[in-house]
Amino acid sequence: MTTRSRSAGRWRMLRGILLALLALLLIAFAAGWWLLAGSRARLDGKYTLRGLSASVSISRDALGTVTIEGKNRSDISYALGYIHAQERYFAMDLMRRVAAGELSALVGPAALKLDLNHRRHRLRAVVEAAYAQLPAAQKLELDRYRDGVNAGLTDLRVRPWEYLLLGSKPQPWRSEDTSLVIAAMYLDLNGDGRNERELHIAQMRAVLPGPLVDLLLAPDPDWEAPLSGALSPAPVIPAADVFDLRQSAPVGSSASLAAALAPALDAPRPGSNNFAVAGTLTGTGAGLLANDMHLGLRVPNIWFRTRLRYPDPSAPNGLRDVNGVSLPGTPAVVVGSNGQIAWGFTNSYGDWLDWVRVLRDPADPGRYKVPEGWARIESHEEHIQVKGKPDTVLKVEDTRWGPIMGTDADGTPLALAWIAAQPRGYNLELMQLERMPDVASTLNLAPQLGMPPQNLLVADSAGHIGWTLAGNSIPLRNGFDPQLPSDWSQPGSGWQGWASPAQYPRVENPTDGRLWTANNRTVDGDALALLGDGGHDLGARAQQIRDDLHARAGFTPADLLDIQLDNRAVLLARWQQLLLQTLADTRDPALQQLRQLSTNWQGRAAVDSVDYRLVRAFRSKVSEAVLAPFVTQVKQRYSDFSWPGENSAEAAVWALIQTRPAQLLDPKYHDWQALLVDAAHQVVSELGQQPGGLAARTWGEHNPGEINHPLSAALPRWLGRFIDMPDQPLPGDNNMPRVAAPGFGASERFDVSPGHEAQGILEMPGGQSDNPLSPYFGAGHEDWVKGRPTPLLPGSAQHTLTLEPAAG
């Protein structure tokens, strides 16, 4: 055989192997495509299902907005459950598992730490008790929704693709799982149910003098914008005889110190904006409402574009027509408009958790002191399933106030009292918003809602607007400081029942026709004492919204969207001036460049803004340097200390650098100017060494979208991109109306005048469907990125699905 013939033979063999491999790849690709396509939601056709009393029509427009039309609300709940399961079952499953501490059973040991923390609350037991005490009508609504969810899941040709990837099977939905979804929102909006903020405040007060802690945690009257009441007093600088850092050893920097300081530097927090204007300021005479809820962003989005239409004698023309967003896992429209009212929420940041000192009996540690004597600690063994591993057994010690979850500064065990552990905190009263006719009746309903306490803003078609707290669990406190762990074993101390509706603060039809909330303090005096301070926002965002509202004499939905998209850096304007003053006489070329790049101040968190990023970095470095010696002193006694979350240090830092007291300056600096110059050097060192130097450091480079599917991190990067949104730079930041951070921001932008929904706006990131082959995967996301208004009302139907009741 010649060399040529042997080479030809080898080539034919290699070609055969390559063709076989290609065929296998094509088969695998086709199989994967078939499975992925099989888990897409049904869009068209007619299907017969048990559980319906009459026919239901489900149509979708170009954005995937679902319009459900039925003969009664119970059939609507069934159909909504069906659609939620078909489009979003995996996301629903994640929410119930996160709340119940059951995530490890699905994804393995990576979720065990989270499960251990959440399982201590035994929230599944709480929601089972909550379901048992619901009125029969609400139980029926949950049962109908449950049946629809399970029908929708069963009706998929292939189980949702995420379960194929995980090698798992989805478990059926239960009626009480809807309350677990509400519990997941409690966790997200109440500091993950850990109340670390108050533990860290207690650590600060155990180490530092009271007047110094008062300064460090002081609210900032320069930025407050309450709806009613006075501004907070100006921060007070303690004298040298109270505290003097010159008597302390100089402190160094460390990674642990940087991590401990991070919460003081405006870390993203679950929150929102909502604002409203009265009918006297609109062209229609109806009120006008805006809402954008700031949460962690993911694929798909947490909300679901929804329109519900069903007969209702109390509705205009006898037809209830509700437009807004629903929360998959629940049958409710969370934010929306019904033609008579429009409503929206922001997190209130009231104080909904308290630490209770558990005084054990020295003779019998299984007992603890209570007002009437002694009670026995209840012990529960929680078995946490872990995929691929043996169960982890968690022992939970429970008291009448809550589970033992912490330790006070002196070592005393602490139980956590939390409103989410109360079965009363879960119901479906939120669904009644669909039927409210006006502002007054809506404000009256708010104290009945079983949900995390929120700022509720409402506008009606007659031009009225109003604000109050929504949520039925505002504790009445007595005999203790709610910011510190306290002894509730004395008669009359602790939580003494719940606020009555008459005690809820409310503002209705203000004389200037404008209302706003943005996680800031809204009230003062007795109302503030009732609600408490769970870490109110600095207030700069609320103040900017307030000022934007007062800058106009008339409004349309587009005008409110403009305010939601306002990325002006009002807070940083004074910091920009401080940076220029600090570097006015510098001869250092690098600092001269920093000053030059910061001089042409555009004052916006735009994606191409270099000046904004540099000034923001300077503020952060100054804040770190000012606060470092105090944080270090606390960490020397409590190694786990970090700055109390949701507590801006802006008031303290600005007061110190303006007054420059020698006794509160870190001894490593010979004067305050040296601290400021060193902070500028750090900005240059950290940002100037990167490719392109300082001039290339745009805000967009620092602020990518990172809106991803929960499973994409476990996939190769090229495959993860297939299920994520494009990673685009985003304008906006924390202390301005347009809130944006990597993986965080406005989960919707909603602007509507009730009765005029045709002019309403609803933007939403992340799309409507979780299936990459769905026409609604990522639908509307690009408009959200660009701030382009998309309509609230659905467009023409592209697909229509009809569900028919089975005979009998």
Side-chain angles (χ1 to χ4, degrees), residues 5 19 157 313 317 385 439 560 773:
S5 63
L19 288 173
R157 178 167 59 82
N317 304 316
Q385 295 180 6
V439 164
L560 297 195
L773 299 185

Side-chain angles (χ1 to χ4, degrees), residues 410-496:
D410 64 357
T412 301
L414 296 176
L416 185 63
W418 183 25
I419 62 171
Q422 303 291 327
R424 63 174 286 122
Y426 303 87
N427 62 42
L428 289 186
E429 292 295 330
L430 180 67
M431 295 176 64
Q432 295 302 319
L433 289 172
E434 297 176 14
R435 299 182 174 92
M436 290 296 103
D438 52 41
V439 164
S441 58
T442 307
L443 299 184
N444 290 339
L445 173 69
Q448 303 173 37
L449 305 187
M451 59 184 287
Q454 302 286 291
N455 292 303
L456 168 65
L457 274 191
V458 59
D460 69 24
S461 56
H464 306 297
I465 58 174
W467 163 88
T468 190
L469 256 287
N472 67 358
S473 299
I474 297 179
L476 295 175
R477 296 178 167 92
N478 188 61
F480 70 100
D481 181 350
Q483 293 289 299
L484 296 173
S486 303
D487 177 10
W488 291 12
S489 68
Q490 300 304 312
S493 64
W495 290 0
Q496 303 295 307

